[in-house]
Coordinates of all heavy atoms in Angstrom, one line a residue:
M231 N 68.0 262.4 8.0 CA 67.9 262.6 9.4 C 68.9 261.8 10.1 O 69.4 260.8 9.6 CB 66.5 262.0 9.9 CG 65.3 262.8 9.3 SD 63.9 262.8 10.5 CE 63.0 264.0 9.7
P232 N 69.5 262.3 11.3 CA 70.5 261.6 12.0 C 70.1 260.3 12.4 O 68.9 260.0 12.7 CB 70.8 262.5 13.2 CG 70.2 263.8 12.9 CD 69.0 263.6 11.9
T233 N 71.0 259.4 12.5 CA 70.8 258.1 12.9 C 71.8 257.7 14.1 O 72.8 258.4 14.3 CB 71.0 257.0 12.0 OG1 72.3 257.0 11.5 CG2 70.0 257.2 10.7
V234 N 71.4 256.8 14.9 CA 72.2 256.5 16.1 C 72.5 254.9 15.9 O 71.6 254.2 15.7 CB 71.5 256.7 17.4 CG1 72.3 256.2 18.6 CG2 71.2 258.1 17.6
N235 N 73.7 254.6 16.1 CA 74.1 253.2 15.8 C 74.0 252.3 17.0 O 74.0 251.1 16.9 CB 75.6 253.1 15.2 CG 75.6 253.7 13.9 OD1 74.6 253.6 13.1 ND2 76.6 254.3 13.5
G236 N 74.0 252.8 18.2 CA 73.9 251.9 19.4 C 74.0 252.7 20.6 O 74.5 253.8 20.6
A237 N 73.5 252.2 21.7 CA 73.7 252.8 23.0 C 73.7 251.8 24.1 O 73.3 250.7 23.9 CB 72.4 253.6 23.3
V238 N 74.4 252.2 25.2 CA 74.6 251.3 26.3 C 73.8 251.8 27.5 O 74.0 253.0 27.8 CB 76.0 251.1 26.6 CG1 76.1 250.2 27.9 CG2 76.8 250.4 25.5
H239 N 73.0 251.0 28.1 CA 72.2 251.5 29.2 C 72.9 250.7 30.4 O 72.9 249.5 30.5 CB 70.7 251.0 29.1 CG 69.9 251.5 30.2 ND1 69.8 250.9 31.4 CD2 69.1 252.7 30.3 CE1 69.0 251.5 32.2 NE2 68.6 252.6 31.5
A240 N 73.4 251.4 31.4 CA 74.2 250.8 32.5 C 73.5 249.7 33.2 O 74.0 248.7 33.5 CB 74.7 251.9 33.4
A241 N 72.2 249.9 33.5 CA 71.4 249.0 34.3 C 71.0 247.7 33.4 O 70.9 246.7 34.0 CB 70.2 249.6 35.0
A242 N 70.7 247.9 32.2 CA 70.1 246.9 31.4 C 71.1 246.2 30.4 O 70.8 245.4 29.7 CB 68.9 247.3 30.7
G243 N 72.3 246.8 30.3 CA 73.3 246.3 29.2 C 72.9 247.1 27.9 O 72.3 248.2 27.9
T244 N 73.3 246.5 26.8 CA 73.0 247.2 25.6 C 71.5 247.1 25.1 O 70.9 246.1 25.3 CB 73.9 246.5 24.4 OG1 75.2 246.6 24.8 CG2 73.6 247.2 23.1
I245 N 71.0 248.2 24.7 CA 69.6 248.3 24.3 C 69.5 248.5 22.9 O 70.5 249.1 22.2 CB 68.8 249.3 25.1 CG1 69.3 250.7 24.9 CG2 68.7 248.8 26.6 CD1 68.4 251.8 25.5
F246 N 68.3 248.2 22.2 CA 68.2 248.5 20.8 C 68.0 250.0 20.7 O 67.3 250.5 21.4 CB 67.0 247.7 20.2 CG 66.7 248.1 18.8 CD1 67.5 247.7 17.7 CD2 65.6 249.1 18.5 CE1 67.2 248.1 16.5 CE2 65.5 249.5 17.3 CZ 66.2 248.9 16.2
V247 N 68.7 250.6 19.7 CA 68.6 252.0 19.4 C 68.3 252.1 17.9 O 68.9 251.3 17.2 CB 69.8 252.8 19.8 CG1 69.7 254.2 19.4 CG2 70.0 252.7 21.3
P248 N 67.5 253.0 17.4 CA 67.1 252.9 16.0 C 68.3 253.2 15.1 O 69.1 253.9 15.4 CB 66.1 254.2 15.9 CG 66.4 254.9 17.1 CD 66.9 254.0 18.2
Q249 N 68.3 252.4 14.0 CA 69.4 252.5 13.0 C 68.9 253.6 12.1 O 69.8 254.3 11.4 CB 69.5 251.3 12.3 CG 70.1 250.1 13.1 CD 71.4 250.5 13.8 OE1 72.3 250.9 13.2 NE2 71.3 250.5 15.1
T250 N 67.6 253.9 11.9 CA 67.1 255.0 11.1 C 66.0 255.7 11.9 O 65.6 255.0 13.0 CB 66.4 254.6 9.8 OG1 65.3 253.8 10.1 CG2 67.4 253.8 8.9
S251 N 65.6 256.8 11.5 CA 64.7 257.6 12.5 C 63.2 257.0 12.3 O 62.3 257.4 12.9 CB 64.6 259.0 12.0 OG 64.3 259.2 10.6
T252 N 63.1 255.9 11.4 CA 61.7 255.3 11.2 C 61.6 254.0 11.9 O 60.5 253.3 11.9 CB 61.4 255.2 9.8 OG1 62.4 254.3 9.1 CG2 61.3 256.5 9.1
D253 N 62.7 253.5 12.5 CA 62.6 252.2 13.3 C 61.9 252.5 14.6 O 62.4 253.3 15.4 CB 64.0 251.7 13.6 CG 64.7 251.1 12.4 OD1 64.1 250.8 11.4 OD2 66.0 251.0 12.5
P254 N 60.8 251.8 14.9 CA 60.1 252.0 16.1 C 60.9 251.4 17.3 O 61.5 250.3 17.2 CB 58.8 251.3 16.0 CG 59.0 250.3 14.9 CD 60.1 250.8 14.1
V255 N 61.0 252.2 18.5 CA 61.6 251.7 19.6 C 60.7 252.0 20.9 O 59.7 252.7 20.8 CB 62.9 252.5 19.8 CG1 63.9 252.2 18.7 CG2 62.7 254.0 19.9
T256 N 61.2 251.4 22.0 CA 60.5 251.6 23.2 C 60.7 253.1 23.7 O 61.6 253.7 23.3 CB 60.9 250.6 24.3 OG1 62.3 250.9 24.6 CG2 60.7 249.2 23.8
V257 N 59.9 253.4 24.7 CA 60.0 254.7 25.3 C 61.5 254.8 25.9 O 62.2 255.8 25.7 CB 59.0 255.0 26.4 CG1 59.4 256.2 27.2 CG2 57.6 255.1 25.8
A258 N 62.0 253.8 26.6 CA 63.3 253.9 27.2 C 64.3 254.0 26.2 O 65.2 254.9 26.3 CB 63.5 252.6 28.0
A259 N 64.3 253.3 25.1 CA 65.2 253.5 24.0 C 65.2 254.8 23.4 O 66.2 255.4 23.0 CB 65.0 252.3 23.0
A260 N 64.0 255.3 23.2 CA 63.8 256.7 22.6 C 64.4 257.7 23.5 O 65.1 258.6 23.0 CB 62.3 256.9 22.4
L261 N 64.2 257.6 24.7 CA 64.7 258.6 25.6 C 66.2 258.6 25.6 O 67.0 259.6 25.7 CB 64.1 258.6 27.0 CG 62.5 258.9 27.1 CD1 62.1 258.5 28.4 CD2 62.3 260.3 26.6
T262 N 66.8 257.4 25.7 CA 68.2 257.2 25.7 C 68.8 257.7 24.4 O 69.8 258.5 24.3 CB 68.6 255.7 25.8 OG1 68.1 255.2 27.1 CG2 70.1 255.5 25.7
T263 N 68.2 257.4 23.3 CA 68.6 257.9 22.0 C 68.7 259.5 21.9 O 69.6 260.1 21.5 CB 67.7 257.5 20.9 OG1 67.8 256.0 20.8 CG2 68.1 258.0 19.5
L264 N 67.6 260.2 22.5 CA 67.6 261.5 22.4 C 68.5 262.2 23.3 O 68.9 263.3 23.1 CB 66.1 262.0 22.6 CG 65.2 261.6 21.5 CD1 63.7 261.9 21.8 CD2 65.5 262.3 20.2
R265 N 68.8 261.5 24.4 CA 69.8 261.9 25.4 C 71.2 262.0 24.7 O 72.0 262.8 24.9 CB 69.7 261.2 26.6 CG 70.5 261.8 27.9 CD 70.1 261.1 29.2 NE 69.9 259.7 29.1 CZ 68.7 259.1 29.3 NH1 67.5 259.8 29.4 NH2 68.6 257.8 29.3
L266 N 71.5 260.8 24.0 CA 72.8 260.7 23.4 C 73.0 261.5 22.1 O 74.0 261.9 21.7 CB 73.0 259.2 23.0 CG 73.2 258.3 24.3 CD1 73.2 256.9 23.8 CD2 74.5 258.6 25.1
K267 N 71.9 261.7 21.4 CA 71.9 262.4 20.1 C 70.7 263.3 20.0 O 69.7 263.1 19.4 CB 71.8 261.4 19.0 CG 72.0 261.9 17.6 CD 73.5 262.0 17.3 CE 73.5 262.4 15.8 NZ 74.8 262.5 15.3
P268 N 70.8 264.5 20.7 CA 69.6 265.4 20.7 C 69.1 265.9 19.4 O 67.9 266.3 19.4 CB 70.2 266.6 21.6 CG 71.4 266.1 22.2 CD 71.9 265.0 21.4
S269 N 69.8 265.8 18.4 CA 69.3 266.2 17.1 C 68.5 265.1 16.3 O 67.9 265.4 15.3 CB 70.4 266.7 16.2 OG 71.3 265.7 15.9
A270 N 68.5 263.9 17.0 CA 67.7 262.8 16.3 C 66.3 262.9 16.4 O 65.8 263.7 17.2 CB 68.2 261.5 16.9
T271 N 65.6 262.1 15.6 CA 64.0 262.0 15.9 C 63.8 260.6 16.1 O 64.6 259.6 15.7 CB 63.3 262.5 14.6 OG1 63.7 261.7 13.5 CG2 63.5 264.0 14.4
V272 N 62.7 260.2 16.7 CA 62.3 258.7 17.0 C 60.9 258.5 16.7 O 60.0 259.4 16.7 CB 62.7 258.5 18.5 CG1 64.1 258.6 18.8 CG2 61.9 259.4 19.4
V273 N 60.7 257.2 16.5 CA 59.3 256.6 16.3 C 59.2 255.7 17.6 O 60.0 254.8 17.8 CB 59.2 255.9 15.1 CG1 57.9 255.1 15.0 CG2 59.3 256.8 13.8
I274 N 58.2 255.9 18.3 CA 58.0 255.2 19.6 C 56.7 254.1 19.4 O 55.7 254.5 19.0 CB 57.7 256.0 20.8 CG1 58.9 256.9 21.1 CG2 57.4 255.2 22.0 CD1 58.7 257.9 22.0
A275 N 57.0 252.9 19.8 CA 55.9 251.9 19.9 C 56.2 251.2 21.2 O 57.1 250.5 21.4 CB 56.0 250.9 18.7
D276 N 55.3 251.4 22.2 CA 55.4 250.8 23.5 C 54.1 250.7 24.2 O 53.0 251.1 23.6 CB 56.3 251.7 24.3 CG 57.1 251.0 25.4 OD1 56.6 249.8 25.8 OD2 58.0 251.5 26.0
S277 N 54.0 250.0 25.4 CA 52.8 249.9 26.1 C 52.3 251.2 26.6 O 53.0 252.1 26.8 CB 53.0 248.9 27.3 OG 53.7 249.5 28.2
L278 N 51.0 251.3 26.7 CA 50.4 252.5 27.3 C 50.9 252.8 28.7 O 51.2 253.9 29.0 CB 48.9 252.4 27.2 CG 48.1 253.6 27.8 CD1 48.4 254.8 26.9 CD2 46.6 253.4 27.8
Q279 N 51.1 251.8 29.4 CA 51.6 251.9 30.8 C 53.0 252.7 30.7 O 53.2 253.5 31.6 CB 51.8 250.5 31.5 CG 52.4 250.7 32.8 CD 52.5 249.3 33.6 OE1 52.1 248.3 33.0 NE2 52.9 249.3 34.8
N280 N 53.9 252.3 29.9 CA 55.3 252.8 29.7 C 55.2 254.3 29.2 O 55.9 255.1 29.7 CB 56.2 252.0 28.9 CG 56.7 250.8 29.6 OD1 56.8 250.7 30.8 ND2 57.1 249.8 28.8
I281 N 54.2 254.5 28.4 CA 54.1 255.8 27.7 C 53.6 256.7 28.9 O 54.2 257.8 29.0 CB 53.1 255.8 26.5 CG1 53.9 255.0 25.4 CG2 52.7 257.2 26.2 CD1 52.8 254.8 24.3
L282 N 52.6 256.3 29.6 CA 52.0 257.2 30.6 C 53.0 257.4 31.8 O 53.1 258.5 32.3 CB 50.8 256.6 31.2 CG 49.5 256.6 30.2 CD1 48.3 255.9 30.7 CD2 49.3 258.1 29.7
K283 N 53.7 256.3 32.1 CA 54.8 256.4 33.2 C 55.8 257.4 32.9 O 56.4 258.1 33.8 CB 55.4 255.1 33.4 CG 56.4 255.0 34.5 CD 56.8 253.6 34.9 CE 57.8 253.1 33.9 NZ 58.4 251.8 34.2
N284 N 56.1 257.7 31.6 CA 57.2 258.5 31.1 C 56.6 259.8 30.5 O 57.4 260.4 29.7 CB 58.1 257.8 30.2 CG 58.9 256.7 30.9 OD1 59.8 257.0 31.7 ND2 58.5 255.5 30.7
L285 N 55.4 260.1 30.8 CA 54.7 261.2 30.1 C 55.5 262.5 30.2 O 55.6 263.3 29.2 CB 53.3 261.3 30.5 CG 52.3 262.2 29.6 CD1 52.3 261.7 28.3 CD2 51.0 262.2 30.2
D286 N 55.9 262.8 31.4 CA 56.7 264.2 31.5 C 57.9 264.2 30.7 O 58.1 265.1 30.0 CB 57.0 264.4 33.0 CG 55.8 264.7 33.8 OD1 54.8 265.1 33.3 OD2 55.9 264.6 35.1
S287 N 58.7 263.1 30.7 CA 59.9 263.0 29.8 C 59.5 263.1 28.3 O 60.2 263.8 27.6 CB 60.7 261.8 30.1 OG 61.1 261.8 31.5
L288 N 58.5 262.4 27.9 CA 58.1 262.4 26.5 C 57.6 263.8 26.1 O 57.9 264.2 25.0 CB 57.0 261.4 26.3 CG 57.5 259.9 26.4 CD1 56.3 259.0 26.4 CD2 58.5 259.6 25.2
Q289 N 56.9 264.5 27.0 CA 56.4 265.8 26.6 C 57.6 266.7 26.4 O 57.6 267.7 25.6 CB 55.5 266.3 27.7 CG 54.1 265.7 27.7 CD 53.2 266.0 28.8 OE1 53.6 266.4 29.8 NE2 51.9 265.9 28.5
S290 N 58.6 266.6 27.1 CA 59.8 267.5 27.0 C 60.5 267.3 25.7 O 61.3 268.2 25.3 CB 60.8 267.3 28.2 OG 61.4 266.1 28.1
V291 N 60.4 266.1 25.0 CA 61.0 265.9 23.7 C 60.0 265.6 22.6 O 60.3 265.0 21.6 CB 62.0 264.6 23.8 CG1 63.1 265.0 24.8 CG2 61.3 263.4 24.2
A292 N 58.7 266.0 22.8 CA 57.7 265.7 21.9 C 58.0 266.1 20.4 O 57.6 265.5 19.4 CB 56.4 266.3 22.4
A293 N 58.7 267.2 20.3 CA 59.1 267.7 18.9 C 60.0 266.7 18.2 O 60.1 266.8 16.9 CB 59.7 269.0 19.0
K294 N 60.6 265.9 19.0 CA 61.5 264.9 18.4 C 60.9 263.5 18.1 O 61.4 262.7 17.6 CB 62.8 264.7 19.2 CG 63.5 265.9 19.6 CD 64.2 266.4 18.3 CE 65.1 267.6 18.7 NZ 65.9 267.9 17.6
I295 N 59.6 263.4 18.5 CA 58.8 262.1 18.3 C 58.1 262.3 17.0 O 57.1 263.1 16.9 CB 57.9 261.8 19.5 CG1 58.8 261.7 20.8 CG2 57.2 260.6 19.2 CD1 57.9 261.7 22.1
T296 N 58.4 261.4 16.0 CA 57.6 261.6 14.7 C 56.4 260.7 14.7 O 55.5 261.0 13.9 CB 58.5 261.2 13.5 OG1 59.1 259.9 13.7 CG2 59.7 262.3 13.4
D297 N 56.3 259.7 15.5 CA 55.2 258.8 15.6 C 55.2 258.1 17.0 O 56.2 257.9 17.4 CB 55.1 257.8 14.4 CG 53.7 257.1 14.3 OD1 52.8 257.8 14.7 OD2 53.7 255.9 14.0
L298 N 53.9 257.9 17.4 CA 53.9 257.3 18.7 C 52.6 256.4 18.7 O 51.5 256.8 18.4 CB 53.6 258.4 19.8 CG 53.4 258.0 21.2 CD1 54.6 257.3 21.8 CD2 52.9 259.2 22.1
T299 N 52.9 255.1 18.9 CA 51.8 254.2 19.0 C 51.9 253.2 20.2 O 53.0 253.1 20.7 CB 51.8 253.2 17.7 OG1 53.1 252.6 17.6 CG2 51.6 253.9 16.4
T300 N 50.8 252.6 20.5 CA 50.7 251.8 21.6 C 50.7 250.3 21.1 O 50.2 250.0 20.1 CB 49.5 252.0 22.6 OG1 49.6 251.1 23.6 CG2 48.2 251.9 21.8
T301 N 51.4 249.5 22.0 CA 51.5 248.0 21.6 C 50.4 247.2 22.4 O 50.4 246.0 22.3 CB 52.9 247.5 21.9 OG1 53.1 247.7 23.3 CG2 53.9 248.2 21.0
D302 N 49.5 247.9 23.0 CA 48.5 247.2 23.9 C 47.2 246.8 23.1 O 46.4 246.2 23.7 CB 48.1 248.1 25.0 CG 49.2 248.5 25.9 OD1 49.7 247.5 26.6 OD2 49.6 249.6 25.9
G303 N 47.2 247.2 21.8 CA 45.9 246.8 21.1 C 44.8 247.6 21.5 O 43.5 247.2 21.4
L304 N 45.0 248.9 21.9 CA 43.8 249.8 22.3 C 43.1 250.1 21.0 O 43.6 250.2 20.0 CB 44.3 251.0 22.9 CG 45.0 250.9 24.3 CD1 45.5 252.3 24.7 CD2 44.0 250.4 25.3
A305 N 41.8 250.3 21.2 CA 41.0 250.7 20.1 C 41.3 252.2 19.8 O 41.7 252.9 20.6 CB 39.5 250.7 20.5
S306 N 41.3 252.5 18.5 CA 41.6 253.9 18.2 C 41.0 254.9 18.9 O 41.6 255.9 19.2 CB 41.4 254.0 16.6 OG 41.6 255.3 16.1
K307 N 39.6 254.8 19.2 CA 38.9 255.8 19.9 C 39.5 256.0 21.3 O 39.4 257.1 21.9 CB 37.5 255.5 19.9 CG 37.1 254.3 20.8 CD 35.6 254.1 20.8 CE 35.3 252.8 21.6 NZ 33.9 252.6 21.8
E308 N 40.2 255.0 21.9 CA 40.7 255.1 23.2 C 42.1 255.7 23.2 O 42.5 256.5 24.0 CB 40.9 253.7 23.8 CG 39.6 253.0 24.1 CD 39.9 251.6 24.6 OE1 40.6 250.8 23.8 OE2 39.3 251.2 25.6
W309 N 42.9 255.4 22.1 CA 44.3 255.9 22.0 C 44.4 257.3 21.4 O 45.2 258.0 21.8 CB 45.1 254.8 21.2 CG 46.5 255.3 20.9 CD1 47.1 255.4 19.7 CD2 47.6 255.7 21.9 NE1 48.4 255.8 19.8 CE2 48.6 256.1 21.2 CE3 47.5 255.8 23.2 CZ2 49.8 256.5 21.8 CZ3 48.7 256.2 23.9 CH2 49.9 256.5 23.1
T310 N 43.7 257.6 20.4 CA 43.8 258.8 19.7 C 43.8 260.1 20.5 O 44.7 261.0 20.4 CB 42.7 259.0 18.5 OG1 42.9 257.8 17.7 CG2 42.9 260.2 17.7
P311 N 42.9 260.3 21.6 CA 43.0 261.5 22.3 C 44.2 261.5 23.2 O 44.8 262.7 23.3 CB 41.7 261.3 23.3 CG 40.8 260.3 22.6 CD 41.8 259.4 21.9
I312 N 44.8 260.4 23.6 CA 46.0 260.4 24.4 C 47.1 260.8 23.5 O 48.0 261.7 23.9 CB 46.2 259.1 25.1 CG1 45.2 258.8 26.0 CG2 47.6 259.0 25.8 CD1 45.0 257.2 26.5
Q313 N 47.3 260.2 22.4 CA 48.3 260.5 21.4 C 48.2 262.0 21.0 O 49.3 262.7 21.0 CB 48.1 259.6 20.2 CG 49.3 259.7 19.1 CD 48.9 258.9 17.9 OE1 47.8 258.6 17.6 NE2 50.0 258.4 17.3
A314 N 47.1 262.5 20.7 CA 47.0 263.9 20.3 C 47.4 264.9 21.4 O 48.0 265.8 21.2 CB 45.5 264.2 19.8
A315 N 47.1 264.5 22.6 CA 47.4 265.4 23.7 C 49.0 265.5 23.9 O 49.5 266.5 24.1 CB 46.8 264.9 25.0
L316 N 49.6 264.3 23.8 CA 51.1 264.3 23.9 C 51.7 265.0 22.7 O 52.6 265.8 22.9 CB 51.5 262.8 23.9 CG 53.1 262.6 24.0 CD1 53.6 263.4 25.2 CD2 53.5 261.2 24.0
M317 N 51.3 264.7 21.5 CA 51.9 265.3 20.4 C 51.7 266.7 20.3 O 52.5 267.5 19.6 CB 51.4 264.6 19.0 CG 51.8 263.0 19.1 SD 53.5 262.7 19.4 CE 54.2 263.2 17.9
S318 N 50.7 267.3 20.9 CA 50.4 268.7 20.9 C 51.5 269.5 21.6 O 51.7 270.7 21.4 CB 49.1 269.0 21.6 OG 49.2 268.9 23.0
F319 N 52.4 268.9 22.3 CA 53.5 269.6 23.0 C 54.7 269.7 22.0 O 55.6 270.4 22.3 CB 54.0 268.8 24.2 CG 53.0 268.9 25.3 CD1 52.0 268.0 25.5 CD2 53.2 269.9 26.2 CE1 51.0 268.1 26.5 CE2 52.3 270.1 27.3 CZ 51.3 269.1 27.4
G320 N 54.6 269.1 20.9 CA 55.8 269.2 19.9 C 55.8 270.3 19.1 O 55.7 271.4 18.9

């Protein structure tokens, strides 16, 4: 799978971008990675707030998201329906 070695975000400076397609990144880093390298895939681990705030953008690239987890410590029964709904767009 393609990898991306780095990305620069004008407003925030350099951000972490996955070195392999299995390195988890935030929603912002994932969207930047996919914008710079559309053939890449990403693993996302971020807060539910960030995931929901960027839901439209995530749904447009859902096929490129290989895993999506929340860092908020939500119980599986709370997170699983949200994750399944988003991933169904892929």
